[in-house]
Structure formats: C-alpha cells, structure tokens
Amino acid sequence: MTRGAAERADSLRQQLERAGHAYYALDAPEISDAEYDRLFRELQALEEAHPELRSPDSPTQRVGAPVASILPKRPHHRPMLSLANAFTDEELAAWEERNARLVPEVRTASYTAEIKIDGAAVSLTYEDGRFTVGATRGNGLVGEEITANLRAISDVPLGLKGRGWPRAMEVRGEVYMPYAGFTRVNEARERDGEPLFANPRNAAAGGLRQLDPALTRKRRLRMFAFAVEPIEGSLKARTHWEVLDLLHDWGFQVEPHRERFAELAAVQERISGFEAMIPQLPFQADGVVIKVDRLALHGELGVVGGREPRWAIARKFAPEVAITRLDRIEINVGRTGALNPWAKLEPVLISGVTVSSATLHNEELIAQKDIREGDRVEIIRAGEVIPQVVRPVLDGVDPDQRGKPYRMPDKCPKCGTPVERPTDEAMRYCLNVSCPGRVLEGIVHYASRDAMDIRGLGYERVRQLLDAGLIRDVADLYELAPDRLVELDRFAAQSAEQLVSAIDASRARPLSSLLFGLGVRHVGKTVAVLLARRFGTMQALMAAGEEEINAVPGIGPTIAAAAAAFFQEPRNRKLIRRLERSGVNFKEPRAPSAGGALAGKTYVITGTLPTLSRTQATDLIEDAGGRVAGTVSKKTDAVVAGEEAGSKLEKARSLDVEVIDEAELLRRVGRTA
Ligand code: IVH
C-alpha cells in the first residue's frame, strides 16, 4: 500500500466530514452536492482498493449501506429530542428529585414505561390524515427526506383510521429491524460477499437511507410510534398514555409492553421485570423509556439544552456478560479463502441464549488481547447478536499454567495448502479454489444473482450435490444430467430439468458476472465490470500481468496483486480451462446489456395510482429494464404521478421532468389493453 493512498484517504475523510457538518449542522453547505458525491466516490474507490484503509469512522461507513448521494434536507416542525440516561435505581430516583424541585407535582404524578427499541428515529408528517412527508432524525433539527422509503414500510399507515387527529402533525417513532429479518439480511450479504451489519440498528438505518425504495422494502422494516407533535389543530389527549392509545386507534403500531404506573416507586419495582423481558423480545432493545404521563407537566418541566426533555428518561441496562472456558480456537474457511478464527466455548447462558461459540475476528486481535486456548474468557452479547470474546480472565491464574500463545495455522486446515498473508492485511488466505472449505461457499456464490444467476441453486441444493459426489467444483455443474438428479431426494423430474436449464442459461452470462462469480479476492461486482470492460475476454485478462491490471483506472495494487495471484495458481487455470470447454462465455459485451423498453431510464412513482400498487408499478418498470428511485432529480427521466401526489410532483415540475400517469406507463411497458 502506498503512503499516498493513506494520505489521500485521510484528506478525503476530513473534507467529507467538514462538508457534512456544514450541510447538516450549520445549514450552510460549503460544496455542491455533485462535488460531495465526487469526493465520496473517490474515497469509496480508494477504500475498495485498499481495504486496510477502511476505518469505522469513515463517512463511507456512517450508514449501513453506502449512500451515493445526499438525500434532500427536511427541517422538523419541532426538534426531535434525545433522552438522558439512568443506569441505576438511584439515578432514576435522583431524576424525580431534580424534577420535583422545579415542579413539585411530579412526586404524585403517574408515569408510563415503554421498551426502548434500538432502531432509527423518524418523523412522519400527516395532513388531513394522509401521510405526506417522512424524514430521518438527522441532527434533531433538520433530517433527511425519505418519504418513498417510509412508504415501503408496512407499519407506516398511508391514511389514518378513526378520527380526531390534528389537521397537520408530525408523528414520531422508531423504525427497526426484527432479529429474524436481521439474520436473513446478513446471511444474504455474506453470500454476496458484502460486509455484514454489526447490529439491527445499523441495518435499519441503512435500509431507510437507500436511494431506491425497492431496496428498503426488501429489508422488511417495522415501526413503533411513540409521540405526536401537532402542527395545525390540537391533540385531544391529556396524558402520554392517551396519546399512545390514539396512535394505536389511528392505525400505528405502539410498543406492546407499555405500562402505566401511579408513582415512581411502582416503576422501580417493575424495572427488573422489564430487564428480564428484553432478551426474549424479537427485536433489539436496550432499556425502558420512562415518561411523566401528564402532558401539561411536560411544558412546565421543559427541555435541557434544547436536546433532552426533563419529562422523560431512558433507564438503560448494562449488556450482559458471562465468563466461560474457551475450549478451542477453530478456523472457518470462507468463500474467498479467508481463515476466520472463532472460539469454541463451554456453553454458557447469556441474555437468555445459550452461547457456545464467539467470533475472534482475526489473529491480530487474538494476539493483542492474548487470548489462549483453555483460558477463562469474558463473553459479551450486547444486542450485537454475534457474541464476542472481550478478554481472558486471568485473576489468580498462574501464567505457567496457561496454554501457549495462539498461532494461526500455516496450512489451510481444510486442504493443507500453505496459506498466504498479504502484507498489510490482518487475514490469512487459502488460495486453493478446490479447497473443500471454500467449495460450498464458493459454489453458492457462483450461482448467486449478481454472479451466474442460477435459480434454485442455494446452500441446500449445493450441499446435496456435493454430498452425493455429483460435483466438486463449479465446472462440474455443467456436466450434470437430469437423470442423475432425479435419483436424489427431493428432486422431482421437473425441478431437475429446471435446474439443468438454469445452469445451461448461465453459460451466456457476461465475463464480468463470471469474474465476480469466481470469487477472486477483492474483486466485487464493480471491479469485475472494470476488469471485464478493460480486457474484454478472459484470455486477455489471464495473459495480463499484475502491472497491466494495476494500470486499469479504478484498480489499485491490492486488487491487481490478488487478481494476478489468482490467475497464476495452476488449479485456478485448470478450472477456467474446463469452464471454457463447457461452453461458458468468456467475453464481455461492449455496451452494458440493454433490453426492455425502459432500459437505462430512471423513474419516480408518487401518489396513489388508479389500479397498480406501488410494488406492481415498480416491478413493471424494473421488468422493462428501468430503475425506480425515491427522489426526483435532474437525472429522473419521468415521474409517474397518481392521486394526491405531493412534493415530488412539484419538484418534477420545477425541474421540468416529464410527468406521466399510470395509463402512459402501461403503454410504455407494452401492457395496454
Ligand atoms: S421518546 C422525549 N420513546 O430513543 C423525546 N424515544 O435516546 C425522545 N426511542 O431518539 C423520544 N423508543 O429514537 C421515546 N418509546 C420511546 C422510544 C424512544 C426508542 C429512541 C428515539 C429517541 C432515542 C433517544
């Protein structure tokens, strides 16, 4: 890695941070959106080329998924506040004491308690009972407009039920991702070689800031509502408890474990009950929000420093830790050949879950913390879902009685090939593509959508084919015959035919998909396209040396070294020759494959369409080769507007973007009656 790259990345990060601060916090942008995007992409490309430069505080890592451009700003009608914390019973009592000095009535006031969901705060504007605009919290005063993404969340009512809502209001709530969905999303990301989300909160925040609402929909986010800020008209409620009931009646989800108490002592008694409940919940939560029930007292108590209301507090619980024995350090071999160390533990109960393994990240971390086999270790499972080894517990342990410092194996534990540790990387790799540890992951990846797109070839099928000895690598897929498949369990004649024909169809995929599918380290989707476009054929790429690959714009020395090493490895060369003999396409088409009537077009949908749901309209556009975006910009080709189209229609008009109706959309995609 060059010094220059590190310095450039540092400078880009500083410029982006400064620009972001000016834009959001000071409300005084210093650079244009386009300039921001350019810097952002340069940093992204640098970090992709030098993964060791990536740092968790980089602007590219701020949200779960990279956001290519800034979302439009949206000031909140009233600030979105945060909460003070209390970690003990004493701190909670002191909170009431302080409040009572200002407003003595709080001593006899009732309180509410709701589970504090760990997600992303949002504000939803309703006018005449219809959802019009939605925004993230942002800096509390100004958020980002994410209306289309919020519409893609099923818990967000588009029209309110019942009656009695203020003519205009902001509803506040928390968007979250249940654990089940979190696991599913991370499994998919792992399959696609994308970085995993550390916790459901990041996954939810990332999902909200997608530029394409179709992606938000896929995350299947949920929302609880917990507050109302009237803009016009008033709220017919005297207490927070009544507000929650109203929200529920209007069609919102409200935190189901909420309770009301006559006095703080009663809350205190119930706290341990809430604490015990948290590990059992299907979503991430880190405490209980306690609020003074009577709304009139909220005004009297006021807000500290413009940020924290005195009338509410978060009673937080420390994440649970446990101490257990680390039996062995084991190695998993991933698709890219990375050796991932993990701890096999003596099973222990943490937050209601039996934990028998924990991640150890990489060898440097093991060395730094001096974690050894046989040690007693502290394990934490803080909503983070993947348990972590915090440290060895060495009090009273005779240093001579400990095991030896851990050493990563020099040979792949699955196939015996000597492992490589690239300079400046914390990971060791097995470079043998036929390594059984890599094979399963590798074949599933090869078949995945952005690679060779072989429908019906997921983990279960691949495992079945491997176990039956029908395949050992991806080249074997092209020799599969339907009559051998039907001999297997759960393979009807039809599904066998379908699989073989899906495999057959994959022969025509472009070189870039094949390159991505082969799982060359550091070669993600974008890099695969760069390489395929530059070299045109597999033969040309294989003939190119490290230097020539390094010279491709957008590709740095790390990628070049990894790609060159991959194509030099004799086993990989043999596999590629077999793919060629099976008739797999080795060429990249000149222009990006153009197809349907809307290929290359970006459409935005707004309002309620007469017959199509938003999902149906999105599918039609995407099936015709188009893209559906959440916000209107100069790059939008057309806006499909239905009834009650709001700010997007105005924006389209002001930017002179074409506006069409549903009938015209149907005509364009060839679905007219
Ligand atoms: S009340 C008083 N109620 O916690 C106004 N917040 O740390 C503050 N949160 O930004 C919000 N569940 O995102 C409130 N039942 C609940 C909540 C809740 C989760 C989040 C919210 C807020 C953050 C403050």
Side-chain angles (χ1 to χ4, degrees):
M1 192 234 336
T2 57
R3 247 319 263 289
E7 274 169 16
R8 180 70 188 146
D10 260 351
S11 146
L12 286 169
R13 268 183 216 127
Q14 276 170 24
Q15 289 180 61
L16 286 166
E17 281 297 348
R18 190 188 153 95
H21 181 72
Y23 185 93
Y24 291 107
L26 309 177
D27 208 11
E30 289 180 347
I31 60 175
S32 69
D33 289 7
E35 176 69 0
Y36 185 96
D37 284 355
R38 199 188 61 67
L39 297 173
F40 191 95
R41 280 195 216 107
E42 187 186 340
L43 179 58
Q44 247 179 349
L46 260 179
E47 288 177 340
E48 189 161 340
H50 308 279
E52 68 279 9
L53 287 182
R54 222 170 251 160
S55 70
D57 59 359
S58 172
T60 59
Q61 309 296 308
R62 247 180 207 287
V63 284
V67 170
S69 111
I70 293 180
L71 295 160
K73 272 184 304 177
R74 168 84 191 177
H76 302 301
H77 178 68
R78 295 251 175 75
M80 288 183 76
L81 303 172
S82 56
L83 291 172
N85 293 322
F87 287 94
T88 60
D89 290 351
E90 291 71 34
E91 285 173 21
L92 197 57
W95 169 64
E96 182 176 74
E97 273 308 303
R98 281 195 306 276
N99 284 343
R101 264 176 256 140
L102 288 169
V103 181
E105 290 98 304
V106 296
R107 281 189 213 284
T108 52
S110 53
Y111 287 95
T112 61
E114 300 152 72
I115 298 287
K116 185 170 188 298
I117 320 109
D118 221 354
V122 293
S123 177
L124 313 170
T125 303
Y126 284 81
E127 288 169 77
D128 298 312
R130 303 215 55 88
F131 174 51
T132 53
V133 185
T136 63
R137 180 174 184 280
N139 64 9
L141 301 174
V142 179
E144 293 148 306
E145 204 244 76
I146 48 161
T147 312
N149 292 347
L150 286 166
R151 280 185 195 272
I153 297 175
S154 56
D155 285 341
V156 172
L158 301 182
L160 301 183
K161 290 194 295 187
R163 44 189 295 127
W165 53 79
R167 201 204 70 75
M169 63 176 172
E170 284 181 5
V171 171
R172 304 285 168 77
E174 193 87 351
V175 168
Y176 66 98
M177 184 181 284
Y179 284 129
F182 173 69
T183 311
R184 190 177 50 79
V185 165
N186 261 354
E187 277 168 4
R189 290 176 77 85
E190 186 155 33
R191 246 190 335 270
D192 295 344
E194 291 177 65
L196 302 191
F197 287 117
N199 53 49
R201 173 171 24 88
N202 290 353
L208 277 181
R209 301 186 75 245
Q210 292 292 340
L211 293 180
D212 178 356
L215 296 175
T216 307
R217 185 175 320 112
K218 281 200 193 136
R219 297 271 170 92
R220 284 188 237 156
L221 301 175
R222 308 286 315 260
M223 188 192 84
F224 286 130
F226 52 66
V228 178
E229 292 289 351
I231 300 172
E232 237 186 276
S234 60
L235 194 57
K236 290 174 188 55
R238 281 177 39 258
T239 62
H240 176 60
W241 192 252
E242 288 168 15
V243 172
L244 295 177
D245 280 346
L246 282 173
L247 283 166
H248 180 260
D249 293 346
W250 296 339
F252 291 95
Q253 301 297 315
V254 179
E255 205 286 300
H257 307 89
R258 64 189 186 279
E259 287 183 42
R260 182 147 70 154
F261 302 91
E263 52 177 11
L264 195 69
V267 179
Q268 299 270 35
E269 254 171 54
R270 186 75 182 95
I271 287 294
S272 56
F274 278 118
E275 184 165 9
M277 194 187 293
I278 283 181
Q280 319 294 332
L281 296 172
F283 48 81
Q284 189 178 353
D286 63 347
V288 178
V289 183
I290 297 161
K291 297 175 186 166
V292 172
D293 195 23
R294 242 166 67 206
L295 298 179
L297 298 182
H298 292 193
E300 288 183 41
L301 285 162
V303 173
V304 190
R307 288 185 56 84
E308 290 170 0
R310 288 196 183 80
W311 45 266
I313 195 160
R315 173 69 164 85
K316 292 250 181 122
F317 305 118
E320 223 182 299
V321 299
I323 291 175
T324 189
R325 192 185 124 95
L326 189 161
D327 282 337
R328 258 202 323 278
I329 294 178
E330 304 238 10
I331 304 287
N332 242 354
V333 181
R335 165 173 71 75
T336 56
L339 269 52
N340 302 310
W342 58 279
K344 191 167 183 310
L345 306 168
E346 194 171 295
V348 61
L349 202 69
I350 319 181
S351 315
V353 172
T354 305
V355 171
S356 55
S357 62
T359 172
L360 287 165
H361 299 286
N362 58 51
E363 60 181 297
E364 242 151 62
L365 203 110
I366 300 174
Q368 227 173 57
K369 297 185 172 175
D370 191 18
I371 296 166
R372 306 186 190 182
E373 293 186 309
D375 279 348
R376 297 191 70 71
V377 289
E378 188 178 300
I379 308 293
I380 185 169
R381 184 179 164 271
E384 305 287 297
V385 184
I386 304 167
Q388 318 232 352
V389 178
V390 183
R391 63 181 180 106
V393 181
L394 298 174
D395 316 322
V397 173
D398 176 354
D400 295 336
Q401 297 299 306
R402 282 183 83 197
K404 289 203 267 305
Y406 181 70
R407 272 200 48 198
M408 287 286 284
D410 296 322
K411 295 204 176 112
C412 170
K414 309 276 176 187
C415 73
T417 305
V419 298
E420 307 245 339
R421 181 171 175 182
T423 353
D424 292 331
E425 275 203 47
M427 285 290 189
R428 289 173 194 241
Y429 294 87
C430 167
L431 290 186
N432 170 16
V433 262
S434 307
C435 165
R438 297 178 58 176
V439 164
L440 170 71
E441 299 279 346
I443 298 176
V444 172
H445 172 71
Y446 183 83
S448 68
R449 194 143 76 117
D450 290 322
M452 298 302 264
D453 195 19
I454 305 174
R455 301 265 158 90
L457 197 59
Y459 274 99
E460 209 181 314
R461 283 284 189 233
V462 174
R463 208 172 277 131
Q464 196 183 11
L465 296 173
L466 284 169
D467 289 349
L470 289 182
I471 56 170
R472 271 161 309 148
D473 56 34
V474 295
D476 289 339
L477 290 172
Y478 297 97
E479 325 255 288
L480 282 175
D483 51 341
R484 294 297 309 276
L485 294 178
V486 288
E487 291 165 12
L488 302 177
D489 264 5
R490 290 167 286 130
F491 249 119
Q494 200 193 352
S495 52
E497 290 287 350
Q498 274 169 355
L499 181 58
V500 171
S501 89
I503 292 170
D504 182 41
S506 76
R507 287 187 165 98
R509 297 280 285 166
L511 173 64
S512 50
S513 303
L514 176 62
L515 284 178
F516 176 59
L518 286 174
V520 185
R521 193 150 34 95
H522 299 310
V523 178
K525 277 177 272 185
T526 321
V527 171
V529 171
L530 289 177
L531 288 174
R533 291 222 179 118
R534 164 65 184 79
F535 292 100
T537 66
M538 179 71 94
Q539 291 80 356
L541 173 58
M542 288 176 77
E546 185 173 337
E547 233 167 275
E548 220 180 312
I549 300 177
N550 195 14
V552 179
I555 289 181
T558 313
I559 298 174
F566 181 90
F567 290 116
Q568 261 152 38
E569 161 71 39
R571 272 181 275 220
N572 296 342
R573 297 180 74 93
K574 197 165 146 211
L575 181 85
I576 292 168
R577 272 201 302 279
R578 285 172 56 218
L579 288 172
E580 186 179 23
R581 277 200 300 267
S582 303
V584 172
N585 169 51
F586 274 15
K587 288 205 197 82
E588 184 71 0
R590 282 218 179 284
S593 60
L598 303 184
K601 302 280 185 209
T602 302
Y603 276 45
V604 170
I605 307 170
T606 179
T608 315
L609 302 178
T611 68
L612 294 172
S613 74
R614 201 164 274 263
T615 320
Q616 290 167 327
T618 304
D619 287 348
L620 280 180
I621 293 168
E622 288 177 352
D623 287 347
R627 204 179 79 85
V628 175
T631 52
V632 180
S633 75
K634 274 177 281 185
K635 288 184 211 135
T636 310
D637 291 290
V639 170
V640 186
E643 256 194 89
E644 296 185 60
S647 59
K648 280 188 212 153
L649 185 55
E650 283 164 38
K651 180 102 181 267
R653 296 215 166 106
S654 73
L655 291 175
D656 229 351
V657 168
E658 184 185 23
V659 177
I660 63 170
D661 61 6
E662 180 186 285
E664 173 62 13
L665 172 66
L666 289 169
R667 201 191 57 72
R668 288 186 187 181
V669 300
R671 295 287 175 93
T672 22

